Amino acid sequence: MELPTVTADTINDLPNLAECLDSIIHTVPRLLQVKAFEPEVAEALGYKGAIAAADELRGLLDGSKTVPRKGMPAEQQTLYSSLPQVLGAAADVIGVAYNTVRPEVQSAALPIKGGVSSNSPSPALAPALLDLAHALQTLAHSTLSRTQVLAAAVAAVEPQIQQLAAAAVNGPLAAAQQQIAAVGNDLLATADVVQQQGLALRSALAAAAALKALQWAAAVEGLAAIVVLRLAEGNSPEPAADGTAADQQHQQQQDGDKENKPKKDKKKDKKGSSGIVLGKGCTVVRTHLEKAVAAAAASNSSSSLGPSETLLITPDGQLAAADVILLEPVGIAAVEGVITAHESASVKLLEDLKVVVEANQARRKPKVAKGARDFLPDQMAIREAAFGIITSVFKRHGAVAIDTPVFELRETLMGKYGEDSKLIYDLADQGGELLSLRYDLTVPFARYVAVNAIGNIKRYHIGKVYRRDQPQLNRGRFREFFQCDFDIAGSYATMVPDAEVLKVLVGILTDLQLGQFTVKLNHRKLLDAMLAIAGVPPQKFRPICSAIDKLDKEPWEVVRAEMVEEKGLPGEVADVIGQFVVLKGQPRELLAVLTAPDHPLAKHADSAAALAELSTLFDFLDAFGALGPISFDLSLARGLDYYTGVIYEAVLEGGNVGSIAAGGRYDKLVGMFSGKDVPAVGVSIGIERVFAIMEAQARARAAESGNAIRATETQVLVASIGNGMQIKRMELCSKLWSAGIKAEFGFKPNPKMGDQLGYALEQGIPYMVLFGDDELQNGVVKVKDMAAKTEETVAVDQLVDQLQQLLAA
């Protein structure tokens, strides 16, 4: 068989056509509720394409309602609830195909040198186009499966719709499947790159055939949808002439004939006897399709109209029969004309839909993104107080502040977090560098040290990080949150910087006054030695450590089951690990047990060296007065891949917020970027969890005292009695500001005294400066102590000195 000629423009247009048709398929009316497209449900699907598809479906179906057909089998319901996955996956594949085809087309446009083109197709072109063909084929199957469900909704037209669907399956879809299978088999059987390049043309033809099948299937579903809707509702007014008129039809459909209907039936009439209400998006699609089909039926002179099968009102006022629309080519051809990519009718449809989607999105109730939060003024005051305490400890130890970008090159972050790498937020590819939002502040700091060739630094950094984790707001776990990091990089005597970092951690948690806390401590070399002694293969050290790290949340039985059933560890090996991870206690007491000559860890060279380091560390911590809250705990296994030495984690006793700080030594991380190792150790404070505790404490104190949490630091409210005093209030307030006194004056020109007093009490402002006409004439003001409920008269030129004395007391 001779293959038709396919130009570079044709290949380049395939993804564009598919993407356009994919957008139109989103719009076909569905006879089902749209709960499956809600953000919480779509998020659980786990990939971005499905979330974007669900969001677009919500916008298009906004306002549409239906009574689901009773007894619909679960597999039929899945055809609708799985739409975000099907459409999202197809959109992802289309994007990959487009990015693969685009450089091929661009290179084909380069001038030919010496009569021979130097450009050969990329080896990735054929697989990308074949994946595109398969994705389009999957969309076509999904579309025709939904068509069959639609057919069963109205028995009168079920045979005709099933006949249309069967024709699509046995015709263009079967042809596309044959081409896809043939190219796929040849591609798998061919190892030679040159031969694979030759398959690019056949892959493009397969994709074109799949696109044709999808276009036909979408036309069948669209036609079946408008037929079923019209028969379910009965005859209704002539279709709107354009997309904007669809709004009027939608309003008429929902409102009904209010004047002729009893009030008690208003709600029922609004939905109609069919139980269907179409939102603006569905109404726009229906209007475009019905208009095209009605016009085609009216112009078909061979069509015989049967009055018993009335369906659509044609432009000349006649009625088109269902058989004419379903069995004769005019119906399919009309719908296909509306949804053919880049045709004028398709462009107009998409333009009208864009207006509807944008309007629906603007009308939706705004919400905070999952895993993020807004901070109210009183909450910000608490958070700033926490930042102030933490920063003061950092500065007390001589640390300098730095900052790094909120996003990094994706390659910078990948491979540093073990199994948690899947939680990294990737930014959309904009045709440049591949970027991701930072997961923590430690890896960016290591990159910072490497890029700037820094040998020694003691730094702190407070900034936001991002993790695509499952939020637990009541435990302070968010997707966007602050971290407060303190790190020391450089070569120093053993355990000296480690001891200072732990002293910083203990100092911060003490100053924050969160309650009793414990700092769990272990050594990475002890963990590796434990696993080696137990018989764990080296390649499984990190996965098993990740399982051990869950012991603070799960009992040993659950962790052991994960090791054996999921990680493939023999049961007897897991039992040996269990004998180690139960060991914890006071640092020097447990150290004495582990360093006994007959203990397995004392006999292992690496663990013996680690125990010696810990002995030194405990001496230093004792000298700092920071050994008290330390717990030596062999079950602590920080899951991050970059730790090489001491690791630690702080938890609040009796709290339910998880760890509030963690860190460790990472001597090899900087070397991953520069090729030269720079030893480093640090700690990160989880400020969101700390804030949750501080907020609870502050609200408890406020409830006990009967006072609100102060959102401002205002010290003085300048108030006046009488009219025309605003400028004088401004003058006095400016004088206080110049003296460094925090003051407010109120924006109302002539405020009531009751309102001013109420504001001062509500905001917890300690002092008020009061004046009226008499005070101004005498050159004095009154200073009111809100807590003591006393007043004193002060000369205006002595006001600043008097207030400074009161505030300093």
Side-chain angles (χ1 to χ4, degrees), residues 748-779:
K748 290 183 178 180
N750 304 306
K752 297 178 181 179
M753 179 51 61
D755 292 341
Q756 296 175 94
L757 282 170
Y759 180 78
L761 292 171
E762 181 182 341
Q763 297 297 320
I765 300 174
Y767 296 99
M768 290 182 67
V769 172
L770 306 169
F771 62 87
D773 287 332
D774 292 342
E775 284 79 13
L776 290 180
Q777 291 176 5
N778 296 322

PDB file of all heavy atoms in Angstrom, residues 748-779:
ATOM      1  N   LYS A 748     -11.451  59.034  60.976  1.00  0.00           N
ATOM      2  CA  LYS A 748     -12.709  59.772  60.902  1.00  0.00           C
ATOM      3  C   LYS A 748     -12.452  61.242  61.254  1.00  0.00           C
ATOM      4  O   LYS A 748     -11.744  61.545  62.214  1.00  0.00           O
ATOM      5  CB  LYS A 748     -13.735  59.185  61.858  1.00  0.00           C
ATOM      6  CG  LYS A 748     -14.258  57.815  61.433  1.00  0.00           C
ATOM      7  CD  LYS A 748     -15.333  57.329  62.393  1.00  0.00           C
ATOM      8  CE  LYS A 748     -15.896  55.989  61.951  1.00  0.00           C
ATOM      9  NZ  LYS A 748     -16.954  55.504  62.879  1.00  0.00           N
ATOM     10  N   PRO A 749     -13.058  62.166  60.498  1.00  0.00           N
ATOM     11  CA  PRO A 749     -12.824  63.598  60.796  1.00  0.00           C
ATOM     12  C   PRO A 749     -13.305  63.998  62.181  1.00  0.00           C
ATOM     13  O   PRO A 749     -12.623  64.747  62.893  1.00  0.00           O
ATOM     14  CB  PRO A 749     -13.623  64.324  59.703  1.00  0.00           C
ATOM     15  CG  PRO A 749     -13.851  63.302  58.630  1.00  0.00           C
ATOM     16  CD  PRO A 749     -13.903  61.980  59.314  1.00  0.00           C
ATOM     17  N   ASN A 750     -14.483  63.523  62.564  1.00  0.00           N
ATOM     18  CA  ASN A 750     -15.084  63.908  63.843  1.00  0.00           C
ATOM     19  C   ASN A 750     -15.554  62.665  64.588  1.00  0.00           C
ATOM     20  O   ASN A 750     -16.764  62.404  64.688  1.00  0.00           O
ATOM     21  CB  ASN A 750     -16.253  64.874  63.611  1.00  0.00           C
ATOM     22  CG  ASN A 750     -15.846  66.103  62.822  1.00  0.00           C
ATOM     23  OD1 ASN A 750     -14.903  66.802  63.199  1.00  0.00           O
ATOM     24  ND2 ASN A 750     -16.543  66.355  61.716  1.00  0.00           N
ATOM     25  N   PRO A 751     -14.641  61.869  65.094  1.00  0.00           N
ATOM     26  CA  PRO A 751     -15.029  60.604  65.745  1.00  0.00           C
ATOM     27  C   PRO A 751     -15.704  60.857  67.090  1.00  0.00           C
ATOM     28  O   PRO A 751     -15.434  61.845  67.778  1.00  0.00           O
ATOM     29  CB  PRO A 751     -13.691  59.888  65.937  1.00  0.00           C
ATOM     30  CG  PRO A 751     -12.683  60.987  66.036  1.00  0.00           C
ATOM     31  CD  PRO A 751     -13.173  62.071  65.126  1.00  0.00           C
ATOM     32  N   LYS A 752     -16.603  59.932  67.443  1.00  0.00           N
ATOM     33  CA  LYS A 752     -17.231  59.989  68.752  1.00  0.00           C
ATOM     34  C   LYS A 752     -16.269  59.456  69.801  1.00  0.00           C
ATOM     35  O   LYS A 752     -15.495  58.534  69.538  1.00  0.00           O
ATOM     36  CB  LYS A 752     -18.513  59.164  68.753  1.00  0.00           C
ATOM     37  CG  LYS A 752     -19.576  59.672  67.787  1.00  0.00           C
ATOM     38  CD  LYS A 752     -20.805  58.780  67.812  1.00  0.00           C
ATOM     39  CE  LYS A 752     -21.867  59.282  66.827  1.00  0.00           C
ATOM     40  NZ  LYS A 752     -23.065  58.400  66.824  1.00  0.00           N
ATOM     41  N   MET A 753     -16.350  60.030  71.001  1.00  0.00           N
ATOM     42  CA  MET A 753     -15.444  59.603  72.066  1.00  0.00           C
ATOM     43  C   MET A 753     -15.673  58.140  72.424  1.00  0.00           C
ATOM     44  O   MET A 753     -14.721  57.393  72.702  1.00  0.00           O
ATOM     45  CB  MET A 753     -15.643  60.499  73.300  1.00  0.00           C
ATOM     46  CG  MET A 753     -14.745  60.110  74.494  1.00  0.00           C
ATOM     47  SD  MET A 753     -12.980  59.953  74.082  1.00  0.00           S
ATOM     48  CE  MET A 753     -12.610  61.604  73.525  1.00  0.00           C
ATOM     49  N   GLY A 754     -16.918  57.699  72.395  1.00  0.00           N
ATOM     50  CA  GLY A 754     -17.190  56.297  72.709  1.00  0.00           C
ATOM     51  C   GLY A 754     -16.503  55.349  71.745  1.00  0.00           C
ATOM     52  O   GLY A 754     -15.981  54.306  72.134  1.00  0.00           O
ATOM     53  N   ASP A 755     -16.500  55.721  70.460  1.00  0.00           N
ATOM     54  CA  ASP A 755     -15.845  54.881  69.459  1.00  0.00           C
ATOM     55  C   ASP A 755     -14.337  54.841  69.677  1.00  0.00           C
ATOM     56  O   ASP A 755     -13.694  53.796  69.512  1.00  0.00           O
ATOM     57  CB  ASP A 755     -16.145  55.406  68.048  1.00  0.00           C
ATOM     58  CG  ASP A 755     -17.612  55.241  67.666  1.00  0.00           C
ATOM     59  OD1 ASP A 755     -18.299  54.423  68.322  1.00  0.00           O
ATOM     60  OD2 ASP A 755     -18.056  55.930  66.731  1.00  0.00           O
ATOM     61  N   GLN A 756     -13.752  55.980  70.043  1.00  0.00           N
ATOM     62  CA  GLN A 756     -12.305  56.041  70.265  1.00  0.00           C
ATOM     63  C   GLN A 756     -11.899  55.223  71.493  1.00  0.00           C
ATOM     64  O   GLN A 756     -10.905  54.485  71.470  1.00  0.00           O
ATOM     65  CB  GLN A 756     -11.860  57.506  70.416  1.00  0.00           C
ATOM     66  CG  GLN A 756     -12.077  58.314  69.146  1.00  0.00           C
ATOM     67  CD  GLN A 756     -11.756  59.784  69.329  1.00  0.00           C
ATOM     68  OE1 GLN A 756     -10.666  60.247  69.060  1.00  0.00           O
ATOM     69  NE2 GLN A 756     -12.751  60.538  69.795  1.00  0.00           N
ATOM     70  N   LEU A 757     -12.682  55.329  72.543  1.00  0.00           N
ATOM     71  CA  LEU A 757     -12.400  54.542  73.745  1.00  0.00           C
ATOM     72  C   LEU A 757     -12.564  53.046  73.454  1.00  0.00           C
ATOM     73  O   LEU A 757     -11.746  52.230  73.886  1.00  0.00           O
ATOM     74  CB  LEU A 757     -13.339  54.961  74.881  1.00  0.00           C
ATOM     75  CG  LEU A 757     -13.004  56.268  75.610  1.00  0.00           C
ATOM     76  CD1 LEU A 757     -14.153  56.657  76.532  1.00  0.00           C
ATOM     77  CD2 LEU A 757     -11.710  56.114  76.413  1.00  0.00           C
ATOM     78  N   GLY A 758     -13.616  52.710  72.718  1.00  0.00           N
ATOM     79  CA  GLY A 758     -13.850  51.309  72.380  1.00  0.00           C
ATOM     80  C   GLY A 758     -12.713  50.729  71.567  1.00  0.00           C
ATOM     81  O   GLY A 758     -12.288  49.586  71.779  1.00  0.00           O
ATOM     82  N   TYR A 759     -12.183  51.510  70.609  1.00  0.00           N
ATOM     83  CA  TYR A 759     -11.073  51.029  69.787  1.00  0.00           C
ATOM     84  C   TYR A 759      -9.819  50.805  70.633  1.00  0.00           C
ATOM     85  O   TYR A 759      -9.118  49.802  70.474  1.00  0.00           O
ATOM     86  CB  TYR A 759     -10.782  52.044  68.676  1.00  0.00           C
ATOM     87  CG  TYR A 759      -9.644  51.631  67.773  1.00  0.00           C
ATOM     88  CD1 TYR A 759      -9.834  50.675  66.778  1.00  0.00           C
ATOM     89  CD2 TYR A 759      -8.376  52.189  67.918  1.00  0.00           C
ATOM     90  CE1 TYR A 759      -8.795  50.292  65.945  1.00  0.00           C
ATOM     91  CE2 TYR A 759      -7.329  51.817  67.095  1.00  0.00           C
ATOM     92  CZ  TYR A 759      -7.539  50.862  66.112  1.00  0.00           C
ATOM     93  OH  TYR A 759      -6.494  50.467  65.307  1.00  0.00           O
ATOM     94  N   ALA A 760      -9.528  51.733  71.527  1.00  0.00           N
ATOM     95  CA  ALA A 760      -8.350  51.592  72.381  1.00  0.00           C
ATOM     96  C   ALA A 760      -8.445  50.342  73.250  1.00  0.00           C
ATOM     97  O   ALA A 760      -7.463  49.611  73.435  1.00  0.00           O
ATOM     98  CB  ALA A 760      -8.180  52.837  73.251  1.00  0.00           C
ATOM     99  N   LEU A 761      -9.644  50.091  73.804  1.00  0.00           N
ATOM    100  CA  LEU A 761      -9.824  48.899  74.631  1.00  0.00           C
ATOM    101  C   LEU A 761      -9.743  47.627  73.799  1.00  0.00           C
ATOM    102  O   LEU A 761      -9.125  46.639  74.206  1.00  0.00           O
ATOM    103  CB  LEU A 761     -11.179  48.979  75.349  1.00  0.00           C
ATOM    104  CG  LEU A 761     -11.306  50.065  76.429  1.00  0.00           C
ATOM    105  CD1 LEU A 761     -12.756  50.182  76.897  1.00  0.00           C
ATOM    106  CD2 LEU A 761     -10.382  49.738  77.609  1.00  0.00           C
ATOM    107  N   GLU A 762     -10.353  47.645  72.623  1.00  0.00           N
ATOM    108  CA  GLU A 762     -10.371  46.454  71.763  1.00  0.00           C
ATOM    109  C   GLU A 762      -8.966  46.077  71.300  1.00  0.00           C
ATOM    110  O   GLU A 762      -8.614  44.900  71.228  1.00  0.00           O
ATOM    111  CB  GLU A 762     -11.263  46.721  70.557  1.00  0.00           C
ATOM    112  CG  GLU A 762     -11.370  45.539  69.597  1.00  0.00           C
ATOM    113  CD  GLU A 762     -12.229  45.870  68.385  1.00  0.00           C
ATOM    114  OE1 GLU A 762     -13.004  46.847  68.466  1.00  0.00           O
ATOM    115  OE2 GLU A 762     -12.113  45.164  67.381  1.00  0.00           O
ATOM    116  N   GLN A 763      -8.157  47.096  70.981  1.00  0.00           N
ATOM    117  CA  GLN A 763      -6.802  46.844  70.483  1.00  0.00           C
ATOM    118  C   GLN A 763      -5.766  46.724  71.593  1.00  0.00           C
ATOM    119  O   GLN A 763      -4.600  46.444  71.319  1.00  0.00           O
ATOM    120  CB  GLN A 763      -6.383  47.977  69.526  1.00  0.00           C
ATOM    121  CG  GLN A 763      -7.246  48.068  68.275  1.00  0.00           C
ATOM    122  CD  GLN A 763      -7.150  46.820  67.417  1.00  0.00           C
ATOM    123  OE1 GLN A 763      -6.075  46.245  67.256  1.00  0.00           O
ATOM    124  NE2 GLN A 763      -8.285  46.373  66.881  1.00  0.00           N
ATOM    125  N   GLY A 764      -6.184  46.928  72.835  1.00  0.00           N
ATOM    126  CA  GLY A 764      -5.243  46.807  73.947  1.00  0.00           C
ATOM    127  C   GLY A 764      -4.211  47.924  73.998  1.00  0.00           C
ATOM    128  O   GLY A 764      -3.084  47.723  74.472  1.00  0.00           O
ATOM    129  N   ILE A 765      -4.573  49.107  73.506  1.00  0.00           N
ATOM    130  CA  ILE A 765      -3.638  50.250  73.503  1.00  0.00           C
ATOM    131  C   ILE A 765      -3.528  50.783  74.932  1.00  0.00           C
ATOM    132  O   ILE A 765      -4.539  51.129  75.550  1.00  0.00           O
ATOM    133  CB  ILE A 765      -4.139  51.345  72.541  1.00  0.00           C
ATOM    134  CG1 ILE A 765      -4.232  50.762  71.121  1.00  0.00           C
ATOM    135  CG2 ILE A 765      -3.216  52.558  72.563  1.00  0.00           C
ATOM    136  CD1 ILE A 765      -4.863  51.708  70.109  1.00  0.00           C
ATOM    137  N   PRO A 766      -2.307  50.883  75.474  1.00  0.00           N
ATOM    138  CA  PRO A 766      -2.178  51.214  76.913  1.00  0.00           C
ATOM    139  C   PRO A 766      -2.483  52.671  77.261  1.00  0.00           C
ATOM    140  O   PRO A 766      -2.906  52.950  78.387  1.00  0.00           O
ATOM    141  CB  PRO A 766      -0.719  50.866  77.225  1.00  0.00           C
ATOM    142  CG  PRO A 766      -0.008  50.915  75.912  1.00  0.00           C
ATOM    143  CD  PRO A 766      -1.011  50.509  74.880  1.00  0.00           C
ATOM    144  N   TYR A 767      -2.267  53.615  76.337  1.00  0.00           N
ATOM    145  CA  TYR A 767      -2.452  55.028  76.681  1.00  0.00           C
ATOM    146  C   TYR A 767      -3.243  55.751  75.591  1.00  0.00           C
ATOM    147  O   TYR A 767      -3.173  55.412  74.411  1.00  0.00           O
ATOM    148  CB  TYR A 767      -1.094  55.739  76.856  1.00  0.00           C
ATOM    149  CG  TYR A 767      -0.294  55.196  78.009  1.00  0.00           C
ATOM    150  CD1 TYR A 767       0.721  54.274  77.787  1.00  0.00           C
ATOM    151  CD2 TYR A 767      -0.561  55.594  79.318  1.00  0.00           C
ATOM    152  CE1 TYR A 767       1.451  53.759  78.832  1.00  0.00           C
ATOM    153  CE2 TYR A 767       0.168  55.086  80.382  1.00  0.00           C
ATOM    154  CZ  TYR A 767       1.168  54.165  80.133  1.00  0.00           C
ATOM    155  OH  TYR A 767       1.881  53.654  81.171  1.00  0.00           O
ATOM    156  N   MET A 768      -4.021  56.780  76.048  1.00  0.00           N
ATOM    157  CA  MET A 768      -4.711  57.685  75.132  1.00  0.00           C
ATOM    158  C   MET A 768      -4.290  59.117  75.438  1.00  0.00           C
ATOM    159  O   MET A 768      -4.124  59.492  76.608  1.00  0.00           O
ATOM    160  CB  MET A 768      -6.233  57.572  75.273  1.00  0.00           C
ATOM    161  CG  MET A 768      -6.817  56.269  74.757  1.00  0.00           C
ATOM    162  SD  MET A 768      -8.645  56.241  74.903  1.00  0.00           S
ATOM    163  CE  MET A 768      -9.101  57.516  73.709  1.00  0.00           C
ATOM    164  N   VAL A 769      -4.102  59.887  74.383  1.00  0.00           N
ATOM    165  CA  VAL A 769      -3.879  61.335  74.523  1.00  0.00           C
ATOM    166  C   VAL A 769      -5.162  62.024  74.084  1.00  0.00           C
ATOM    167  O   VAL A 769      -5.594  61.875  72.933  1.00  0.00           O
ATOM    168  CB  VAL A 769      -2.692  61.801  73.660  1.00  0.00           C
ATOM    169  CG1 VAL A 769      -2.613  63.325  73.660  1.00  0.00           C
ATOM    170  CG2 VAL A 769      -1.391  61.208  74.181  1.00  0.00           C
ATOM    171  N   LEU A 770      -5.800  62.770  75.023  1.00  0.00           N
ATOM    172  CA  LEU A 770      -7.111  63.376  74.781  1.00  0.00           C
ATOM    173  C   LEU A 770      -7.004  64.894  74.811  1.00  0.00           C
ATOM    174  O   LEU A 770      -6.255  65.458  75.617  1.00  0.00           O
ATOM    175  CB  LEU A 770      -8.110  62.917  75.846  1.00  0.00           C
ATOM    176  CG  LEU A 770      -8.262  61.401  76.049  1.00  0.00           C
ATOM    177  CD1 LEU A 770      -9.078  61.125  77.295  1.00  0.00           C
ATOM    178  CD2 LEU A 770      -8.923  60.784  74.840  1.00  0.00           C
ATOM    179  N   PHE A 771      -7.764  65.537  73.919  1.00  0.00           N
ATOM    180  CA  PHE A 771      -7.816  67.001  73.976  1.00  0.00           C
ATOM    181  C   PHE A 771      -9.097  67.487  73.296  1.00  0.00           C
ATOM    182  O   PHE A 771      -9.694  66.790  72.466  1.00  0.00           O
ATOM    183  CB  PHE A 771      -6.595  67.641  73.319  1.00  0.00           C
ATOM    184  CG  PHE A 771      -6.459  67.315  71.850  1.00  0.00           C
ATOM    185  CD1 PHE A 771      -7.100  68.085  70.876  1.00  0.00           C
ATOM    186  CD2 PHE A 771      -5.694  66.241  71.431  1.00  0.00           C
ATOM    187  CE1 PHE A 771      -6.979  67.775  69.540  1.00  0.00           C
ATOM    188  CE2 PHE A 771      -5.566  65.938  70.094  1.00  0.00           C
ATOM    189  CZ  PHE A 771      -6.212  66.699  69.145  1.00  0.00           C
ATOM    190  N   GLY A 772      -9.503  68.694  73.690  1.00  0.00           N
ATOM    191  CA  GLY A 772     -10.628  69.389  73.076  1.00  0.00           C
ATOM    192  C   GLY A 772     -10.261  70.852  72.916  1.00  0.00           C
ATOM    193  O   GLY A 772      -9.077  71.228  73.007  1.00  0.00           O
ATOM    194  N   ASP A 773     -11.268  71.699  72.709  1.00  0.00           N
ATOM    195  CA  ASP A 773     -10.992  73.137  72.524  1.00  0.00           C
ATOM    196  C   ASP A 773     -10.323  73.737  73.756  1.00  0.00           C
ATOM    197  O   ASP A 773      -9.378  74.526  73.636  1.00  0.00           O
ATOM    198  CB  ASP A 773     -12.299  73.882  72.224  1.00  0.00           C
ATOM    199  CG  ASP A 773     -12.801  73.597  70.804  1.00  0.00           C
ATOM    200  OD1 ASP A 773     -11.960  73.316  69.933  1.00  0.00           O
ATOM    201  OD2 ASP A 773     -14.029  73.638  70.588  1.00  0.00           O
ATOM    202  N   ASP A 774     -10.798  73.395  74.957  1.00  0.00           N
ATOM    203  CA  ASP A 774     -10.238  73.969  76.172  1.00  0.00           C
ATOM    204  C   ASP A 774      -8.769  73.593  76.321  1.00  0.00           C
ATOM    205  O   ASP A 774      -7.924  74.438  76.675  1.00  0.00           O
ATOM    206  CB  ASP A 774     -11.028  73.489  77.391  1.00  0.00           C
ATOM    207  CG  ASP A 774     -12.443  74.053  77.413  1.00  0.00           C
ATOM    208  OD1 ASP A 774     -12.683  75.044  76.700  1.00  0.00           O
ATOM    209  OD2 ASP A 774     -13.287  73.472  78.128  1.00  0.00           O
ATOM    210  N   GLU A 775      -8.438  72.338  76.082  1.00  0.00           N
ATOM    211  CA  GLU A 775      -7.045  71.890  76.227  1.00  0.00           C
ATOM    212  C   GLU A 775      -6.143  72.600  75.214  1.00  0.00           C
ATOM    213  O   GLU A 775      -5.020  73.019  75.556  1.00  0.00           O
ATOM    214  CB  GLU A 775      -6.954  70.364  76.019  1.00  0.00           C
ATOM    215  CG  GLU A 775      -7.448  69.533  77.199  1.00  0.00           C
ATOM    216  CD  GLU A 775      -8.959  69.445  77.258  1.00  0.00           C
ATOM    217  OE1 GLU A 775      -9.615  69.828  76.242  1.00  0.00           O
ATOM    218  OE2 GLU A 775      -9.508  69.023  78.280  1.00  0.00           O
ATOM    219  N   LEU A 776      -6.631  72.755  73.999  1.00  0.00           N
ATOM    220  CA  LEU A 776      -5.811  73.415  72.976  1.00  0.00           C
ATOM    221  C   LEU A 776      -5.546  74.880  73.345  1.00  0.00           C
ATOM    222  O   LEU A 776      -4.436  75.392  73.127  1.00  0.00           O
ATOM    223  CB  LEU A 776      -6.507  73.341  71.615  1.00  0.00           C
ATOM    224  CG  LEU A 776      -6.571  71.947  70.954  1.00  0.00           C
ATOM    225  CD1 LEU A 776      -7.288  72.025  69.622  1.00  0.00           C
ATOM    226  CD2 LEU A 776      -5.163  71.369  70.765  1.00  0.00           C
ATOM    227  N   GLN A 777      -6.567  75.564  73.873  1.00  0.00           N
ATOM    228  CA  GLN A 777      -6.372  76.960  74.273  1.00  0.00           C
ATOM    229  C   GLN A 777      -5.358  77.101  75.395  1.00  0.00           C
ATOM    230  O   GLN A 777      -4.619  78.085  75.455  1.00  0.00           O
ATOM    231  CB  GLN A 777      -7.715  77.553  74.706  1.00  0.00           C
ATOM    232  CG  GLN A 777      -8.710  77.740  73.564  1.00  0.00           C
ATOM    233  CD  GLN A 777     -10.066  78.249  74.032  1.00  0.00           C
ATOM    234  OE1 GLN A 777     -10.238  78.544  75.218  1.00  0.00           O
ATOM    235  NE2 GLN A 777     -11.025  78.354  73.103  1.00  0.00           N
ATOM    236  N   ASN A 778      -5.279  76.084  76.262  1.00  0.00           N
ATOM    237  CA  ASN A 778      -4.350  76.137  77.402  1.00  0.00           C
ATOM    238  C   ASN A 778      -3.013  75.467  77.100  1.00  0.00           C
ATOM    239  O   ASN A 778      -2.143  75.414  77.964  1.00  0.00           O
ATOM    240  CB  ASN A 778      -4.980  75.468  78.623  1.00  0.00           C
ATOM    241  CG  ASN A 778      -6.219  76.219  79.102  1.00  0.00           C
ATOM    242  OD1 ASN A 778      -6.257  77.454  79.082  1.00  0.00           O
ATOM    243  ND2 ASN A 778      -7.226  75.473  79.546  1.00  0.00           N
ATOM    244  N   GLY A 779      -2.859  74.915  75.905  1.00  0.00           N
ATOM    245  CA  GLY A 779      -1.595  74.297  75.524  1.00  0.00           C
ATOM    246  C   GLY A 779      -1.311  73.007  76.258  1.00  0.00           C
ATOM    247  O   GLY A 779      -0.141  72.678  76.516  1.00  0.00           O
TER     248      GLY A 779
END
